[in-house]
Amino acid sequence: IYNTSHYSIKSNTSYQTCRYIGDMMGLIYKENRRLFNYYGPMPKLKIFAYSSMAEFRTAANKLGVGQAASGFFTPVNGGAIYLPYISVFIQHPRVLLFHEGTHQFVHNAIHMRVPAIYQKYFDKAHKIINTTPIWLNEGLATYLETAQYNGMGLDIGRVNVSRLTYLQYMLKQSINPDVMEVVKRKYGQPFSKEHYSVAWALVYYLRHDANPIEQKRRRQKLKKYIDSVKLGFWRSDYKKKFKEKFIKNNKPIDDFDVSLRIYVGKQSFEKFQEIIVGKGKDFEEWEQNWIQWVKKLNPNAPYGGTDLGESTQNGAL
């Protein structure tokens, strides 16, 4: 067992491994705070690292996650990351920790908190509800999983080579991804390799450009979108609107989880159209411009050829 200011790590590997995990996660925690400009309260974040795949599978099965490939974050039982601390698909487990660590941070910092006056109607597991669209959740995780330690801190914002090369391969084959379909995707629906690649490229587009003025403009749009997510996509009177939408007879509506997924999927696209594409702008035209931008990215350059990494000033979302 190894405890840091923000994490509690439990493992049957070694104390040195626990300490390494704690050090690396402390760095990604710092980057997440900066990126999302969130310095509010955060519970002690838990990580369980197993020395073998078999032990990990046993733990996953107990949580009802029978098909977990290489690790996951779950909000069940207070929330924790579970992973086998072994290389999977020739990938260092640090990559998975950064990916799942971002999901863990998003859960506590971006997901909408049920307004205090209505929390009495919800059990502990539903006091934070998932209003982060799946494209954004996975896009941010695949964006931050490429972080590399540079001796002082994390170098983030590097190209995700596997996601970019797969997406560029599709485009060369004239298989244009359906961005609208990815942005509208709901939790519970399959999220394929194509979906992950598009989600990463959308976040990367909203974080990077060779033109610093354009890069700043895009980052401001992403910040505005995320701010909307935090309030359940309602701009004002969100407490009242939350009650009208999800509470009836002093309790959550029947099929609350299903209704929430449908609502988030719908709002995800509508706010994307309004904030990212722009009111009155043509989505297909925006999509074609995005595709041309993706085609020009260089998978062999640290930042895809944009030459503007997260080390530049004003790196926060």
Side-chain angles (χ1 to χ4, degrees), residues 37 69 80-81 88 106 115 229 286 307:
N37 193 30
I81 294 171
V88 178
V106 164
V229 168
W286 179 92
D307 299 322

Side-chain angles (χ1 to χ4, degrees), residues 148-154:
Q148 293 186 16
Y149 183 60
N150 60 18
M152 296 181 292
L154 291 182

Side-chain angles (χ1 to χ4, degrees), residues 264-311:
V264 170
K266 181 174 182 292
Q267 291 299 316
S268 170
F269 173 71
E270 290 185 0
K271 288 299 179 184
F272 193 97
Q273 172 70 61
E274 176 187 325
I275 297 172
I276 307 300
V277 178
K279 289 182 178 179
K281 300 289 182 65
D282 183 72
F283 185 91
E284 290 186 2
E285 181 180 345
W286 179 92
E287 183 180 38
Q288 287 304 311
N289 289 333
W290 173 80
I291 287 173
Q292 295 308 312
W293 186 87
V294 170
K295 284 182 176 179
K296 293 176 182 177
L297 286 176
N298 180 2
N300 297 313
Y303 304 107
T306 64
D307 299 322
L308 290 173
E310 294 292 350
S311 59

Side-chain angles (χ1 to χ4, degrees), residues 93-312:
R94 178 189 64 248
V95 175
L96 186 140
L97 279 167
F98 288 167
H99 182 107
E100 299 303 328
T102 300
H103 286 322
Q104 191 176 43
F105 194 92
V106 164
H107 175 75
N108 288 283
I110 297 181
H111 286 359
M112 178 185 173
R113 295 181 182 276
V114 172
I117 58 174
Y118 307 130
Q119 287 200 4
K120 59 187 177 183
Y121 304 139
F122 292 82
D123 59 34
K124 186 176 181 180
H126 287 89
K127 292 189 186 300
I128 298 176
I129 58 175
N130 188 356
T131 52
T132 308
I134 191 169
W135 78 265
L136 180 62
N137 208 341
E138 296 299 347
L140 290 168
T142 48
Y143 177 77
L144 284 160
E145 72 180 30
T146 62
Q148 293 186 16
Y149 183 60
N150 60 18
M152 296 181 292
L154 291 182
D155 178 14
I156 70 171
R158 301 175 74 89
V159 159
N160 193 315
V161 177
S162 64
R163 305 300 181 189
L164 176 58
T165 53
Y166 181 73
L167 191 55
Q168 289 182 334
Y169 169 78
M170 289 178 57
L171 295 173
K172 286 179 182 178
Q173 301 300 314
S174 298
I175 305 172
N176 286 1
D178 188 341
V179 177
M180 184 184 296
E181 194 270 342
V182 175
V183 174
K184 287 182 175 180
R185 206 115 187 113
K186 297 183 283 290
Y187 287 95
Q189 293 181 309
F191 210 72
S192 68
K193 183 178 180 180
E194 175 187 334
H195 298 143
Y196 275 100
S197 296
V198 171
W200 169 80
L202 287 174
V203 169
Y204 205 78
Y205 173 83
L206 293 169
R207 291 291 298 156
H208 296 271
D209 194 75
N211 183 330
I213 296 175
E214 176 63 16
Q215 175 174 283
K216 183 177 181 180
R217 187 180 71 87
R218 292 181 190 171
R219 291 185 177 192
Q220 288 173 340
K221 287 186 174 185
L222 182 57
K223 179 183 182 301
K224 186 176 180 180
Y225 188 92
I226 289 177
D227 286 343
S228 179
V229 168
K230 291 177 181 178
L231 296 178
F233 295 103
W234 292 296
R235 289 179 177 174
S236 60
D237 296 328
Y238 82 98
K239 295 179 183 179
K240 178 182 177 182
K241 291 175 180 177
F242 177 84
K243 181 180 180 181
E244 292 173 350
K245 185 74 177 177
F246 295 118
I247 295 176
K248 185 176 182 180
N249 297 325
N250 293 331
K251 65 178 183 179
I253 60 173
D254 294 337
D255 297 323
F256 168 75
D257 289 331
V258 175
S259 296
L260 178 65
R261 287 197 293 268
I262 294 172
Y263 171 77
V264 170
K266 181 174 182 292
Q267 291 299 316
S268 170
F269 173 71
E270 290 185 0
K271 288 299 179 184
F272 193 97
Q273 172 70 61
E274 176 187 325
I275 297 172
I276 307 300
V277 178
K279 289 182 178 179
K281 300 289 182 65
D282 183 72
F283 185 91
E284 290 186 2
E285 181 180 345
W286 179 92
E287 183 180 38
Q288 287 304 311
N289 289 333
W290 173 80
I291 287 173
Q292 295 308 312
W293 186 87
V294 170
K295 284 182 176 179
K296 293 176 182 177
L297 286 176
N298 180 2
N300 297 313
Y303 304 107
T306 64
D307 299 322
L308 290 173
E310 294 292 350
S311 59
T312 57

